[in-house]
Amino acid sequence: MYYFDYAATTPVKPPVAEAMVRALTAEFGNPSSQYPLGRAARDRLAADRAAVAGALGCRPEDLFFTSCGTESDNWAIRAALHLGRHRGKHIVTTAVEHSAVLELCKSLAREGYDVTFLQPDSRGRITAEQVESALREDTVLVSVMAVNNETGNVYPVAEIARLLQARKSRALLHTDAVQAFLKVPGEAFRGADLISLSAHKIGGPKGVGALYAAPAIQSKLVPLLYGGGQERGLRSGTEATAQIAGFAEAVRQRAARLSNILTHTAAMQAYARERLLAIPGLKLLGTPEAPHILCCTLPGYPSQNLVEDLGAQGICISAGSACHRGKPSHVVAALRLSKKEAAGAFRVSFGEDTAKEDVDALCAAVEAHRASRFPML
Ligand code: PLP
């Protein structure tokens, strides 16, 4: 198999699986229990929280575990709106957020919030100036993702944070860093008040994420779940110790080799880019600043057919975001492409195990697909 869908999910390696098995078996205690087995689970949880927080560059107490990136996004946005409820109902976000943010914002607009959806330019870029022009007195939340999951564009989150400060805006800044955490340097999204993470994009298991909340706002955050008071009373529910152990182990493994991984994925991306662009008609979409994502189009060759054809040969790529399951993607639509270009859009994404030979197989298969069919008019 040739796997080129690391932006959709990543494989769990043996050390990560072993950490999870330990948490499910020998260390199966409930972290709230008051005997040694419970204490051991509590200590493990504290060490795991410290590992993820350390890689993010925050204090362990600033990090709250959740069940996924989607949950982190939903919680962050609802909590920020609750916090700003006496100041206004204006939200600034982008038209190219992941559905976890976009669909919530659309629903909030139906509930009576005023949402500004910033449009990217034709290369997928969003600028801090766009955010600045959209800001108002009653803006309570700016939510801009750190790396776009379909195009690989890196958005200027740190610059937006500085801008909000310079403008003395009281709007909170949330960033969905699911495709950025340990995939691009952390400076890219420094300064956000709320940061969403997910484990399964970096070698951890599915079904666990985290939300960073800046110290200044923690005491004012509205709990996501009421109950037994776990996660400092903000997200009750017995901690998913095995999922969290897997998340933390994936972070340790990746953080230890981060610069090698980033250099390697960037090299694979550059090689794939050069080879794919040699295919007649193939165009690059977006601005692939993140080293793990490349978005392309083969106009006249619907990507659904390409994905199926390559899939049958054991080559896994994605027609836009995996979350769209064949429907035209809102990100590709926002790039204002022709119908043929939009229909031909596909994403390849890279990881530490991607080898040059894999890229050769991918490029040969895309070229063979093109050569074996008539383009659709
Ligand atoms: N945000 C982005 C940018 C993503 O790419 C994804 C996953 O595709 C998510 C959020 C959702 O994360 P999860 O699958 O953990 O809910």
Side-chain angles (χ1 to χ4, degrees):
M1 184 182 70
Y2 301 100
Y3 190 70
F4 288 99
D5 212 6
Y6 287 87
T9 198
T10 55
V12 159
K13 295 282 179 63
V16 172
E18 283 154 20
M20 294 181 73
V21 169
R22 255 194 324 276
L24 287 167
T25 55
E27 297 172 5
F28 73 93
N30 185 325
S32 297
S33 297
Q34 296 306 318
Y35 38 79
L37 186 69
R39 263 199 301 280
R42 197 151 62 243
D43 291 348
R44 162 66 34 216
L45 180 64
D48 289 343
R49 194 185 307 278
V52 181
L56 186 62
C58 71
R59 304 176 312 166
E61 57 267 41
D62 301 338
L63 199 78
F64 302 87
F65 286 115
T66 64
S67 73
C68 57
T70 299
E71 181 182 312
S72 303
D73 284 341
N74 275 257
W75 183 17
I77 290 172
R78 293 257 184 220
L81 296 180
H82 184 81
L83 234 144
R85 68 195 177 284
H86 301 305
R87 283 188 289 106
K89 290 192 120 185
H90 182 231
I91 303 168
V92 178
T93 187
T94 79
V96 289
E97 294 297 308
H98 185 271
S99 319
V101 168
L102 192 69
E103 293 304 318
L104 173 59
C105 286
K106 284 188 196 165
S107 149
L108 289 165
R110 290 191 291 272
E111 280 176 33
Y113 283 88
D114 190 1
V115 188
T116 301
F117 293 98
L118 302 175
Q119 296 295 330
D121 68 9
S122 59
R123 294 192 54 210
R125 291 172 297 201
I126 296 279
T127 63
E129 289 71 33
Q130 283 177 281
V131 173
E132 182 162 30
S133 348
L135 274 185
R136 305 190 320 214
E137 261 308 297
D138 62 340
T139 308
V140 288
L141 170 68
V142 175
S143 181
V144 174
M145 69 199 315
V147 169
N148 187 278
N149 51 301
E150 292 193 41
T151 60
N153 279 80
V154 175
Y155 294 145
V157 176
E159 194 184 338
I160 295 169
R162 288 194 294 274
L163 163 85
L164 292 178
Q165 227 178 10
R167 287 275 308 262
K168 298 198 173 19
S169 167
R170 290 173 68 199
L172 291 183
L173 175 60
H174 165 245
T175 188
D176 174 336
V178 167
Q179 295 288 350
F181 179 51
L182 298 180
K183 297 212 176 217
V184 297
E187 292 74 45
F189 50 95
R190 208 56 87 230
D193 301 298
L194 294 153
I195 304 176
S196 304
L197 310 178
S198 176
H200 74 103
K201 311 292 185 179
I202 52 160
K206 295 162 192 63
V208 58
L211 180 66
Y212 159 83
I217 60 169
Q218 276 169 28
S219 61
K220 300 177 222 149
L221 283 187
V222 63
L224 175 69
L225 299 174
Y226 291 88
Q230 290 89 347
E231 298 300 299
R232 300 180 64 215
L234 292 177
R235 195 217 178 251
S236 288
T238 303
E239 299 87 345
T241 50
Q243 304 299 103
I244 292 169
F247 187 3
E249 190 54 33
V251 165
R252 287 184 196 100
Q253 300 279 326
R254 193 169 172 94
R257 287 173 291 123
L258 192 61
S259 75
N260 285 349
I261 294 174
L262 297 188
T263 307
H264 176 74
T265 43
M268 290 303 104
Q269 186 203 49
Y271 180 58
R273 180 179 173 153
E274 185 193 311
R275 288 221 43 192
L276 285 170
L277 282 174
I279 297 174
L282 192 139
K283 288 186 200 163
L284 209 61
L285 298 180
T287 311
E289 293 147 325
H292 65 294
I293 295 176
L294 207 51
C295 190
C296 307
T297 179
L298 202 47
Y301 299 85
S303 56
Q304 261 334 95
N305 299 341
L306 178 70
V307 170
E308 273 171 36
D309 184 11
L310 266 59
Q313 302 169 55
I315 303 172
C316 308
I317 64 163
S318 154
S321 161
C323 299
H324 295 284
R325 298 214 176 88
K327 278 190 269 155
S329 126
H330 63 278
V331 176
V332 169
L335 301 179
R336 295 179 289 282
L337 306 169
S338 72
K339 241 175 150 175
K340 270 201 295 188
E341 285 172 330
F346 65 95
R347 176 187 74 186
V348 293
S349 47
F350 311 90
E352 58 179 315
D353 294 334
T354 308
K356 221 169 163 199
E357 298 71 43
D358 301 342
V359 176
D360 290 335
L362 165 77
C363 299
V366 175
E367 167 55 12
H369 177 87
R370 188 201 65 84
S372 67
R373 290 163 194 243
F374 289 111
M376 285 172 73
L377 296 173

